[in-house]
Amino acid sequence: MNHEEYDIVVIGAGHAGCEAALAAARMGSSTLLTVINADTIGAMSCNPAIGGLAKGHLVREIDALGGEMAKNIDATSIQFRTLNTSKGPAVRSSRAQADRLLYRLRMTSVIENQPNLTVKQTVVSGLLLENDRVCGITTSLGEEIPAKAVVVATGTFLNGLVHVGLKNFGAGRLGDAPSRSLAAWFKDHGFEVGRMKTGTVPRLDANTIDYSELESQHSDQPPAHFSYSSKGEYTLPQLPCHITYTNEKTHEIIRNSIGESPLYAGVIQGIGARYCPSIEDKVMRFPEKTRHQIFVEPEGLDTVEIYPNGIPTSLPLSTQQAMVNSIKGFENAKIIRPGYAIEYDYIDPLGLHPSLECKKLRGLFLAGQINGTSGYEEAAAQGLIASINAVRYTQDSEPLLIDRSQAYIGVLIDDLVTCGTIEPYRLFTSRAEYRLLLREDNADSRLAQIGHDIGLVDNKTNNRFKKKQAAIDDGTRVLETISVKPTQPLNDSLASLGSTPLKQKCSLADLLRRPELTISSFMSLPLGDEEMNAISELSSGAVRHEIELRVKFKGYIDRQHEQVARFKKMESVLLPHDFTYSGLSGLSNEVVEKLTRVQPVSLGQASRISGVTPAAISVLQVHLKKLKKA
């Protein structure tokens, strides 16, 4: 069959594929989204939630750049919570439970109604090549569809194999066929292919759970939102989650059946997620633990399915049922769908440029679990960046590269292409060196202008961001410039707020740096008309919150800006493309091998490669100076 040429073809319609297809179409490129089953666009294969520690940061960053995930979860959320509220602002993150069905249906509607975007249900069997460039795709029906660039976002479908006990069968997820021919194509064309494993929990019938035995956990009131364009007016009811725990009886059942675990029987070859292990892995690796927490999460408003987050398993179904019934509140619970493990192929991310384009083939971009990551949010972030750069590639423009000092997206991608991964990669706030600058609340300040410049954020939205930024800058300046003098009434009021008296004149900003004081508490102080007018004019909500953070953490923020300046200096020292490291005196064989494999784009990236020592960086600096003189 003859087909029109597309600018971009996206393979896979999970979280990475949806963001990739929408970004390309919204940037004006004719885009084709291929999916094995068109009824599963945007499906949540695992837990029915978006966000979490560090993941909430990614969702806000995706939104600031013009992505869809934040809007989709805001419209379909049935519970919203802010995590780590007792800790500092850098590590606070948002998480929302979704109505699983509504999340998928809304994302499908957005996809199907997006101009420049066509959906095609088909199985992609391979890629078309021309002079080491990708120029389209082939399908299992013998179709050849030409394209200027291709984004592969296949999730767990590449050679997927599902395990329940010692039984296994090919599947991309339970109920969906795997992608075997495309997996074979990558191996046949010399890509470094590895094997990973993830898993999910048995789904339970809510009508068979005794909730009186469980601890309830309610939504924040009022619930917040992820997207900067959302107004926070939720139309869906907010449902409670619940908490229960495994116990010694649960663990005994698991230990007695461990020989039937495909992981412990040696049937599974793929490497599992370190930070999301199966319940059998938890029990065997941490025998001193007498219980493990389970979050009982509703899957939606119009379903009885419950997701018991915390007990992913691939044990036989009979063992799963016994294990579930041993848990408090689950004594009579019935399993609707079994838990299972799934193995799948991934491509070594060291074979990618920071743009997520393959080094081996021009015009081929990879995003999501095919790069060795885990999580909806990590996948969506990669899909967005890969697609942006695929479009820019077709336009002969420089790629969009977001570095570690700009966003968690930059941390995620840099970790992958610089260090690679041999296990499912998960993002944490601890991976970011400059996390005080990369907070959830300021993602728009960091990235909205970039989103506007590349054509994903419209003028109206960008103007709103600019107005907010101006209000923050003006409010901070006001607090720094207006001073107050010590008076007896003022000191009495400070004492009533648990604060020490003033001994000398100070700015309102200095006063605000006291941990016990906030801008709101200033309203109860006996200040002059000028001061009170200035405070009352400070915007409330997000703007006021950002002003408080800027003022209270000024010293730490200034220090991180200095660290970023040093980081930028190293990043600005670019290394020539295909630089030859062999033969350079002063570099060990190990360093030469690693530099040659990664081909870092800058001295900064080279310094982050495991095994590349400071001494080796000094050697590189000397050689670069010689090259510059030559």
Side-chain angles (χ1 to χ4, degrees):
M1 294 178 63
N2 294 322
H3 288 273
E4 64 175 296
E5 181 182 38
Y6 290 92
D7 293 321
I8 307 293
V9 168
V10 178
I11 304 174
H15 302 281
C18 287
E19 292 293 351
L22 288 171
R26 289 167 177 173
M27 292 174 72
S29 296
S30 60
T31 305
L32 175 67
L33 175 62
T34 69
V35 58
I36 292 177
N37 182 354
D39 292 331
T40 60
I41 293 172
M44 306 178 92
S45 303
C46 197
N47 63 311
I50 295 294
L53 301 180
K55 295 170 179 285
H57 292 69
L58 283 178
V59 180
R60 290 265 168 83
E61 291 176 353
I62 291 166
D63 183 64
L65 286 170
E68 190 65 28
M69 176 174 269
K71 297 181 182 68
N72 211 58
I73 183 59
D74 283 352
T76 59
S77 169
I78 55 176
Q79 189 188 95
F80 191 101
R81 288 180 64 84
T82 302
L83 310 179
N84 274 352
T85 53
S86 63
K87 298 184 179 180
V91 296
R92 291 172 196 158
S93 249
S94 302
R95 186 177 189 271
Q97 293 294 134
D99 184 303
R100 183 192 296 273
L101 175 62
L102 293 181
Y103 187 93
R104 175 175 66 79
L105 292 178
R106 183 190 179 279
M107 185 64 81
T108 300
S109 177
V110 172
I111 292 280
E112 291 178 343
N113 289 285
Q114 174 62 48
N116 300 324
L117 179 54
T118 302
V119 176
K120 183 179 181 65
Q121 179 171 298
T122 189
V123 177
V124 176
S125 56
L127 305 179
L128 297 172
L129 304 180
E130 184 179 308
N131 299 326
D132 292 328
R133 291 174 180 263
V134 170
C135 60
I137 63 170
T138 60
T139 76
S140 59
L141 297 178
E143 300 168 285
E144 292 189 352
I145 303 175
K148 296 176 183 176
V150 174
V151 179
V152 181
T154 46
T156 59
F157 278 68
L158 271 189
N159 211 13
L161 187 66
V162 162
H163 298 266
V164 180
L166 300 181
K167 296 181 179 180
N168 56 69
F169 50 89
R173 60 176 159 244
L174 198 62
D176 286 311
S179 176
R180 289 199 173 112
S181 51
L182 186 58
W185 186 94
F186 277 110
K187 288 182 180 178
D188 292 343
H189 286 79
F191 284 83
E192 291 191 43
V193 179
R195 200 83 169 137
M196 284 187 177
K197 175 199 82 83
T198 187
T200 190
V201 306
R203 270 60 162 194
L204 309 181
D205 184 343
N207 293 329
T208 62
I209 294 174
D210 183 359
Y211 284 97
S212 67
E213 294 291 326
L214 308 184
E215 173 189 341
S216 60
Q217 188 178 68
H218 294 273
S219 178
D220 291 347
Q221 291 298 330
H225 53 271
F226 274 108
S227 177
Y228 294 98
S229 61
S230 296
K231 297 179 180 179
E233 297 173 356
Y234 287 78
T235 56
L236 297 184
Q238 299 290 286
L239 301 184
C241 292
H242 294 80
I243 297 174
T244 186
Y245 299 88
T246 62
N247 52 58
E248 280 294 354
K249 183 179 179 181
T250 314
H251 300 180
E252 183 181 358
I253 292 170
I254 291 170
R255 285 191 291 265
N256 290 340
S257 303
I258 203 66
E260 297 178 284
S261 163
L263 180 64
Y264 283 85
V267 177
I268 291 177
Q269 302 299 316
I271 299 173
R274 178 189 303 266
Y275 303 104
C276 189
S278 65
I279 186 60
E280 51 263 39
D281 227 8
K282 292 179 186 177
V283 169
M284 300 304 291
R285 288 170 55 193
F286 306 105
E288 73 282 2
K289 297 285 187 181
T290 58
R291 67 178 192 172
H292 295 282
Q293 191 174 61
I294 302 169
F295 286 95
V296 184
E297 304 173 349
E299 297 227 345
L301 299 173
D302 298 316
T303 178
V304 297
E305 281 196 62
I306 293 295
Y307 189 95
N309 196 341
I311 53 170
T313 182
S314 57
L315 289 166
L317 181 56
S318 59
T319 305
Q320 292 186 33
Q321 186 67 67
M323 174 187 73
V324 165
N325 292 148
S326 71
I327 296 167
K328 187 177 181 180
F330 293 173
E331 290 86 354
N332 299 306
K334 294 182 179 179
I335 293 176
I336 296 177
R337 309 185 199 209
Y340 62 89
I342 182 167
E343 287 185 277
Y344 56 94
D345 287 353
Y346 80 102
I347 309 298
D348 187 350
L350 290 179
L352 298 173
H353 293 295
S355 63
L356 297 181
E357 183 183 20
C358 288
K359 295 174 181 176
K360 184 182 288 289
L361 291 173
R362 294 300 317 274
L364 177 59
F365 297 78
L366 307 184
Q369 284 176 284
I370 193 173
N371 291 337
T373 60
S374 67
Y376 304 152
E377 303 81 6
E378 288 91 340
Q382 292 172 74
L384 180 63
I385 298 301
S387 185
I388 290 169
N389 286 324
V391 172
R392 294 172 75 84
Y393 162 81
T394 66
Q395 298 171 343
D396 292 324
S397 300
E398 288 296 311
L400 172 66
L401 303 180
I402 296 178
D403 67 43
R404 303 179 70 89
S405 69
Q406 291 176 288
Y408 274 89
I409 292 175
V411 174
L412 163 67
I413 293 175
D414 184 63
D415 281 352
L416 290 174
V417 304
T418 302
C419 304
T421 187
I422 58 172
E423 62 185 51
Y425 174 99
R426 180 179 176 181
L427 193 62
F428 294 100
T429 54
S430 58
R431 295 190 190 271
E433 306 93 320
Y434 316 113
R435 55 184 173 273
L436 188 55
L437 303 180
L438 307 182
R439 304 183 307 276
E440 256 197 9
D441 59 83
N442 69 352
D444 55 342
S445 300
R446 293 183 276 116
L447 299 173
Q449 188 60 50
I450 295 175
H452 180 259
D453 292 344
I454 61 178
L456 287 177
V457 174
D458 60 37
N459 289 331
K460 181 180 177 181
T461 303
N462 192 50
N463 289 336
R464 186 172 67 247
F465 287 145
K466 287 182 175 180
K467 185 177 179 181
K468 175 188 171 184
Q469 192 61 41
I472 293 170
D473 293 340
D474 292 343
T476 304
R477 189 161 44 248
V478 165
L479 293 178
E480 294 283 3
T481 54
I482 295 181
S483 299
V484 292
K485 297 178 180 179
T487 64
Q488 192 59 47
L490 176 59
N491 285 337
D492 290 343
S493 293
L494 288 173
S496 69
L497 294 171
S499 192
T500 56
L502 274 183
K503 294 183 179 180
Q504 59 186 18
K505 180 180 177 181
C506 75
S507 69
L508 287 176
D510 288 333
L511 203 58
L512 183 58
R513 291 189 182 101
R514 297 184 175 192
E516 67 277 5
L517 298 182
T518 64
I519 292 176
S520 296
S521 65
F522 283 180
M523 302 303 292
S524 65
L525 299 179
L527 303 175
D529 291 341
E530 179 187 6
E531 293 88 351
M532 292 304 292
N533 289 337
I535 294 169
S536 62
E537 288 179 3
L538 294 179
S539 298
S540 59
V543 171
R544 179 173 288 189
H545 175 72
E546 176 70 13
I547 292 170
E548 285 190 357
L549 290 181
R550 275 196 185 187
V551 171
K552 285 183 177 292
F553 293 92
K554 184 179 185 302
Y556 298 102
I557 290 172
D558 288 347
R559 189 182 307 165
Q560 289 223 322
H561 279 304
E562 292 171 2
Q563 295 169 348
V564 168
R566 291 192 292 270
F567 164 80
K568 293 282 191 182
K569 186 175 181 180
M570 289 283 282
E571 293 299 298
S572 67
V573 182
L574 302 180
L575 293 167
H577 180 60
D578 293 333
F579 187 64
T580 302
Y581 296 97
S582 59
L584 292 184
S585 59
L587 295 182
S588 68
N589 290 336
E590 178 192 0
V591 169
V592 168
E593 179 185 339
K594 291 185 174 181
L595 289 171
T596 301
R597 186 179 185 193
V598 176
Q599 283 294 321
V601 298
S602 68
L603 203 61
Q605 187 186 2
S607 70
R608 295 189 294 278
I609 299 173
S610 175
V612 176
T613 63
I617 295 300
S618 297
V619 169
L620 285 179
Q621 286 177 313
V622 170
H623 283 288
L624 287 173
K625 287 180 181 178
K626 289 180 179 178
L627 277 177
K628 190 175 181 179
K629 288 181 180 179

